[in-house]
Amino acid sequence: MPKKMIHEFHEMKRKGEKIAYLTSYDYPTAQFAEAAGMDMILVGDSLGMCVYGYSGTIPVVMDQMIVHAEAVRRGAPNTFVVGDMPFLSYQSSLEKAVENAGRFLKEAGCDAIKLEGGRRIVPQIRAIVDSGIVVMGHIGLTPQSSGQLGGHKAQGRTLESAKALIEDALAIREAGIHMLLLEAIPPEVAAYITRTLDIPVLSIGAGVDCDGQLLIVSDLIGQFQAFTPKFVKKYCAVAETITNAMKAYVADVKSAKFPEPQHTYSMLKEERPKFDEWLKARGK
Ligand code: KIV
């Protein structure tokens, strides 16, 4: 299947075709996602928690994101890949924002970037869009500012907060975003934003009426153990599967059931008698 590009996602919205979107952080998972027919992959800064074991996304830096994005690109050459801008890669200056956004395209071959925030990052969005880069906005629960939000909490649950989210969505669309991700907001607020904007609106915990859905792969496969957000659906339990396989391996090693003859290499036929003779000469 040829890689879908941004205009095709806009077309999918017009036709009412849902967009399947998943995070990936490495080469094999990206291969699986592409084989599964994923429309879009996010190399999310959630890799801070899912891959590196940090308690949040704040410690993640650009160089880490680029290494993972490169691996994902190699694993999914025919899938639209979005690079997620980590904390402080775009907030401190417009030059830095454009430069770091450009790194995802130049160094990792990404198709777009995503950044968190509403009205307060309009200048950064304008600058990145003006440099020719496809941009996905991200509002609602924005993990990089979870300190200000009072933790990883759903947003838009009061009229005031819902109105603020809608203002944010309109402002960043006006600034030029090409797609929008809504995280952990009530479905009725998400449905209004989806109806109102002329661009694809993706949901992670924002209900079924959005134009597509995102899940974090480590949640989908049951790998991430620390906590499970309400919006997660687990499709398998790899943590259990892997742990059980490792337990079986430990037991086999301890009882010398592994390796078996089929897991070993034989000496070359003509060398074996010579080796036996050599051992004999050494008295072994
Ligand atoms: O980093 C990520 O995976 C994200 C999602 C939580 C939306 O930004």
Side-chain angles (χ1 to χ4, degrees):
M1 273 264 279
K3 180 162 73 175
K4 290 190 181 80
M5 299 307 286
I6 185 64
H7 66 277
E8 281 158 305
F9 295 118
H10 284 237
E11 188 60 23
M12 284 172 82
K13 177 182 177 106
R14 273 192 292 278
K15 290 183 183 159
E17 272 176 44
K18 298 284 189 187
I19 298 166
Y21 188 22
L22 184 69
T23 69
S24 289
Y25 315 114
D26 58 45
Y27 173 81
T29 313
Q31 284 185 310
F32 301 147
E34 184 158 295
M38 211 60 63
D39 293 305
M40 206 185 291
I41 292 176
L42 172 67
V43 185
D45 64 353
S46 49
L47 61 77
M49 291 174 285
C50 299
V51 177
Y52 289 94
Y54 305 145
S55 62
T57 57
I58 299 298
V60 177
V61 295
M62 271 305 294
D63 286 347
Q64 276 171 308
M65 293 303 301
I66 294 294
V67 169
H68 287 273
E70 283 175 331
V72 167
R73 176 80 292 162
R74 285 192 290 273
N78 297 316
T79 306
F80 191 91
V81 173
V82 181
D84 199 12
M85 299 200 59
F87 184 58
L88 288 193
S89 67
Y90 56 98
Q91 289 91 341
S92 56
S93 77
L94 298 188
E95 290 70 27
K96 208 166 167 186
V98 173
E99 210 163 287
N100 283 324
R103 285 189 67 191
F104 277 109
L105 276 66
K106 278 172 83 87
E107 297 175 38
C110 289
D111 301 291
I113 64 94
K114 172 174 90 57
L115 73 179
E116 296 182 7
R119 281 159 285 183
R120 67 182 174 189
I121 60 153
V122 157
Q124 283 89 337
I125 290 174
R126 277 196 209 290
I128 298 170
V129 170
D130 283 350
S131 72
I133 296 172
V134 176
V135 174
M136 176 180 286
H138 176 177
I139 58 172
L141 197 184
T142 43
Q144 291 173 17
S145 41
S146 59
Q148 287 183 347
L149 301 177
H152 286 82
K153 288 185 179 156
Q155 302 295 304
R157 300 181 75 193
T158 63
L159 175 62
E160 274 321 296
S161 160
K163 281 183 354 195
L165 277 177
I166 292 164
E167 288 303 315
D168 277 337
L170 293 172
I172 61 177
R173 171 59 188 128
E174 172 67 24
I177 58 163
H178 303 86
M179 291 180 281
L180 176 63
L181 176 67
L182 302 176
E183 179 166 355
I185 73 170
E188 51 273 47
V189 181
Y192 176 77
I193 294 173
T194 305
R195 282 199 304 276
T196 305
L197 296 193
D198 59 344
I199 55 171
V201 176
L202 289 313
S203 146
I204 178 162
V208 76
D209 292 324
C210 292
D211 299 310
Q213 298 295 325
L214 170 69
L215 271 184
I216 291 187
V217 66
S218 318
D219 290 329
L220 177 148
I221 63 174
Q223 184 184 49
F224 185 69
Q225 305 286 290
F227 60 90
T228 304
K230 186 171 184 208
F231 54 71
V232 166
K233 179 170 176 185
K234 291 189 184 185
Y235 286 82
C236 61
V238 297
E240 262 174 69
T241 306
I242 293 173
T243 308
N244 287 339
M246 290 180 179
K247 279 183 183 166
Y249 167 68
V250 169
D252 276 2
V253 170
K254 303 280 181 193
S255 61
K257 279 194 187 150
F258 175 83
E260 295 168 57
Q262 70 264 29
H263 305 122
T264 61
Y265 302 90
S266 54
M267 282 193 86
L268 295 177
K269 213 169 162 195
E270 63 279 17
E271 296 298 311
R272 182 59 201 262
K274 293 185 213 164
F275 182 63
D276 288 345
E277 213 166 285
W278 180 80
L279 284 180
K280 210 163 130 196
R282 292 175 65 97
K284 304 276 179 182

